[in-house]
C-alpha cells in the first residue's frame, strides 16, 4: 500500500478547471511533521486573528462572556443531539458497514457549494447541504458504484442528474425573431457541478493510486493504524486536495480543515460505540466545522465583529474574497474558544449538562440554530470559488 500524500505527477490534469481553481489550499504548506492537526487549526487561527496586521475581523471577549451568561443549555442539547443522530437516520439499506461508512464520508467530502445557495434555491428549491444529501442518496439508490473506480467513471451529466443541478439555462434563438436555431448558455450552477465532479474524480484517482478500494477502505486502514481523530484528519488532509482547507494570508498559514474534521466526527458518532477503532478519545479537541452559516450566527450573537467593509458586503449578499472569508472563519474558531474556556471555567455560573461544551458541539449547535425560521433571514458568507464549504 503506497502513501497517497507522496504520490507525484499531474494529479490535476483533465480535471474541471472550476474544481482546480476552487482548491485554493493546494499551494499552502501543511503543518510540520508530527504535528497534531487539530491543535494546528486552533493555534494558527488564534495567531492569525491576534496579529497586529489583521484588521478584517475582531473577536469579543466581553461578547463571549455575555453569551455564556445567557446560554440556553436546553436548546443547545436538543440541537446537538439532533445533529449527532443524523448518521443513524438514513432511510437507506446498506449491505455492509463499509458501504454505509463510504456514503457518510462522501457526504462530508462534498459539503460544499454554500456560495451557490441563492441559485440552488431558485433552480431546485434546495440549499447546498440538502442538494448534496439528495445527490448522494440518489447515487446510492441507483446502485452507482462509489468505490475508487466508480468515482472516476462519473460524468458531468451524472452529477447534473443525481444532484438536480442544471447545466444549461433557458434556450434562446440564435437569431432574434427566429426560432429555427435555439441555443442555451451555461447555467449559473454549472461551475458547482464541475466542482463536485472534480472532487469525486480526484478523490477516486488518488484512492486508486494509493492502493485503496474506496474512501471507506482508506478511513478503516488509517483508523486501524491509530484510532484518533487527529490522525485521521492528518491523513485525509495530506491525501486529498479537496480536504486541504487552508490559506496563506499576509505570509501566515491559516489551517481550518473543516471537512476532514467533519468526516472524523461523523464516523465517530456513527460507529464509535460499535467499533473501538472509531471511538476517538480526542473528539473534544476538534474545532468548529466552520462554513458559511456558523460565522453568520457568531456575528449575530456578538462574538465576532467584521470590519465595516466586510459587514457591508455580507449585508448586501456580495461575494467575499479568499482573505475576507478566511478571516471570518478563523475569527469564528478563535472566538469559539473564548466561549468554551469561559463556559467550562469556575468563573461561569453555567451548570454542566449531558453534552460537553466544546468547539465541535458549539459549531453543530450554531449550524442547526441557523436553520431556525427567524434566523434564516440572516445573510451568510458567500464564496463560490471554494471546494471547502
Amino acid at each position: 500500500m503506497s502513501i497517497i500524500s507522496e504520490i507525484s505527477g499531474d494529479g490535476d490534469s483533465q480535471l474541471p478547471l472550476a474544481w482546480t481553481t476552487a482548491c485554493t489550499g493546494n499551494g499552502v504548506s501543511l503543518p510540520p511533521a508530527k504535528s497534531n492537526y487539530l491543535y494546528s487549526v486552533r493555534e494558527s487561527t488564534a495567531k492569525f486573528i491576534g496579529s497586529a496586521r489583521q484588521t478584517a475581523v475582531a473577536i469579543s471577549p466581553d461578547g463571549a462572556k455575555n453569551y455564556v451568561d445567557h446560554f440556553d443549555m436546553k436548546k443547545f442539547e436538543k440541537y446537538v443531539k439532533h445533529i449527532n443522530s443524523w448518521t443513524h437516520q438514513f432511510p437507506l439499506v446498506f449491505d455492509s458497514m463499509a458501504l454505509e461508512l463510504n456514503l457518510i464520508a462522501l457526504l462530508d467530502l462534498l459539503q460544499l457549494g454554500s456560495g451557490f445557495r441563492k441559485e440552488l434555491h431558485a433552480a431546485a428549491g434546495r440549499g447546498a447541504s440538502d442538494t448534496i444529501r439528495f445527490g448522494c442518496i440518489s447515487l446510492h439508490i441507483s446502485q452507482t458504484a462509489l468505490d475508487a473506480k466508480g468515482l472516476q467513471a462519473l460524468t458531468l451529466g451524472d452529477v447534473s442528474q443525481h444532484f438536480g443541478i442544471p447545466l444549461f439555462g433557458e434556450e434562446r434563438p440564435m437569431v432574434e425573431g427566429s426560432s429555427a436555431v435555439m441555443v442555451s448558455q451555461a447555467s449559473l450552477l454549472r461551475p458547482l457541478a464541475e466542482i463536485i465532479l472534480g472532487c469525486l474524480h480526484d478523490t477516486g484517482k488518488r484512492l486508486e493510486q494509493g492502493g485503496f478500494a474506496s474512501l471507506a477502505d482508506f478511513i478503516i486502514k488509517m483508523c486501524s493504524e491509530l484510532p484518533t481523530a487527529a490522525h485521521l484528519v492528518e491523513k485525509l488532509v495530506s491525501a486529498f486536495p479537496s480536504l486541504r482547507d487552508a490559506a496563506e494570508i499576509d505570509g501566515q498559514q491559516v489551517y481550518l480543515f473543516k471537512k476532514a474534521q467533519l468526516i472524523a466526527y461523523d464516523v465517530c458518532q456513527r460507529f464509535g460505540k460499535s467499533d473501538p477503532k472509531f471511538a476517538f478519545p480526542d473528539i473534544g479537541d476538534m474545532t468548529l466545522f466552520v462554513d458559511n452559516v456558523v460565522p453568520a450566527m457568531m456575528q449575530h450573537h456578538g462574538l465576532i465583529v467584521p470590519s465595516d467593509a466586510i459587514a457591508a458586503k455580507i449585508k448586501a449578499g456580495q461575494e467575499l474574497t479568499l482573505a475576507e472569508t478566511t478571516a471570518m472563519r478563523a475569527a469564528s474558531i478563535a472566538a469559539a474558544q473564548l466561549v468554551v474556556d469561559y463556559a467550562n471555567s469556575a468563573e461561569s455560573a453555567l451548570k454542566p449538562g449531558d453534552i460537553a461544551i466544546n468547539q465541535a458541539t458549539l459549531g453543530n449547535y450554531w449550524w442547526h440554530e441557523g436553520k431556525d425560521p427567524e434566523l434564516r433571514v440572516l445573510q451568510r458568507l458567500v464564496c463560490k470559488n471554494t471546494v471547502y464549504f
Side-chain angles (χ1 to χ4, degrees), residues 277-297:
K277 66 175 168 287
F278 301 127
F280 307 138
D282 56 343
I283 199 76
D285 291 338
M286 289 185 170
T287 62
L288 297 179
F289 314 131
V290 63
D291 55 1
N292 66 319
V293 177
V294 172
M297 293 306 304

Side-chain angles (χ1 to χ4, degrees), residues 37-60:
Y37 274 40
L38 305 182
Y39 295 166
S40 294
V41 173
R42 188 175 281 101
E43 292 165 1
S44 69
T45 51
K47 180 181 178 181
F48 172 69
I49 292 302
S51 170
R53 290 182 296 174
Q54 194 285 123
T55 59
V57 189
I59 61 177
S60 174

Side-chain angles (χ1 to χ4, degrees), residues 198-277:
C199 187
L200 295 170
H201 275 192
D202 182 73
T203 299
K205 182 176 183 178
R206 291 175 188 273
L207 285 168
E208 185 175 24
Q209 289 176 333
F212 299 94
S214 65
L215 188 53
D217 183 39
F218 177 90
I219 292 170
I220 290 169
K221 288 173 178 173
M222 294 304 106
C223 293
S224 297
E225 288 180 355
L226 184 63
T228 68
H231 180 70
L232 179 56
V233 168
E234 176 185 352
K235 295 303 181 182
L236 287 167
V237 169
S238 300
F240 305 109
S242 294
L243 298 176
R244 205 164 297 170
D245 186 1
E248 183 172 325
I249 309 297
D250 295 331
Q252 293 190 58
Q253 282 78 36
V254 184
Y255 304 120
L256 301 161
F257 303 152
K258 178 244 178 180
K259 294 194 298 182
Q261 292 191 79
L262 186 60
I263 290 173
Y265 186 87
D266 284 340
V267 167
C268 180
Q269 293 298 321
R270 178 63 185 92
F271 302 107
K273 292 183 179 180
S274 59
D275 193 323
K277 66 175 168 287

Side-chain angles (χ1 to χ4, degrees), residues 294-313:
V294 172
M297 293 306 304
M298 297 186 72
Q299 181 184 355
H300 170 71
H301 289 307
L303 301 171
I304 62 174
V305 183
S307 68
D308 291 343
I310 294 179
K313 291 177 75 172

Side-chain angles (χ1 to χ4, degrees), residues 106-133:
L106 286 174
L107 262 165
D108 288 344
L109 174 76
L110 293 177
Q111 286 302 307
L112 50 82
S114 63
F116 294 88
R117 176 173 177 255
K118 180 179 178 181
E119 291 85 353
L120 283 168
H121 274 287
R126 290 186 293 267
S129 182
D130 286 342
T131 294
I132 298 302
R133 184 180 178 89

Side-chain angles (χ1 to χ4, degrees), residues 72-233:
D72 189 337
M73 180 65 78
K74 185 176 180 180
K75 182 180 178 182
F76 165 77
E77 294 194 333
K78 176 184 177 182
Y79 281 14
V80 175
K81 286 178 181 177
H82 177 79
I83 294 293
N84 287 349
S85 67
W86 81 263
T87 56
H88 297 263
Q89 298 173 347
F90 268 130
L92 303 172
V93 175
F94 298 95
D95 293 336
S96 67
M97 180 276 288
L99 287 176
E100 183 177 0
L101 169 59
N102 198 59
L103 189 65
I104 290 172
L106 286 174
L107 262 165
D108 288 344
L109 174 76
L110 293 177
Q111 286 302 307
L112 50 82
S114 63
F116 294 88
R117 176 173 177 255
K118 180 179 178 181
E119 291 85 353
L120 283 168
H121 274 287
R126 290 186 293 267
S129 182
D130 286 342
T131 294
I132 298 302
R133 184 180 178 89
F134 178 87
C136 288
I137 289 176
S138 176
L139 286 167
H140 176 80
I141 291 175
S142 66
Q143 299 184 334
T144 302
L146 297 176
D147 57 4
K149 291 184 180 295
L151 295 181
Q152 296 174 76
L154 291 168
T155 67
L156 194 61
D158 292 331
V159 171
S160 174
Q161 176 185 349
H162 288 288
F163 291 82
I165 300 174
L167 300 180
F168 299 99
E170 295 182 3
E171 290 188 341
R172 296 179 180 180
M174 179 176 287
V175 179
E176 189 173 353
S178 172
S179 60
V181 180
M182 305 292 288
V183 296
S184 58
Q185 295 181 331
S187 161
L188 294 175
L189 288 168
R190 188 183 180 103
L192 174 59
E194 293 179 350
I195 290 172
I196 292 172
L197 183 66
C199 187
L200 295 170
H201 275 192
D202 182 73
T203 299
K205 182 176 183 178
R206 291 175 188 273
L207 285 168
E208 185 175 24
Q209 289 176 333
F212 299 94
S214 65
L215 188 53
D217 183 39
F218 177 90
I219 292 170
I220 290 169
K221 288 173 178 173
M222 294 304 106
C223 293
S224 297
E225 288 180 355
L226 184 63
T228 68
H231 180 70
L232 179 56
V233 168

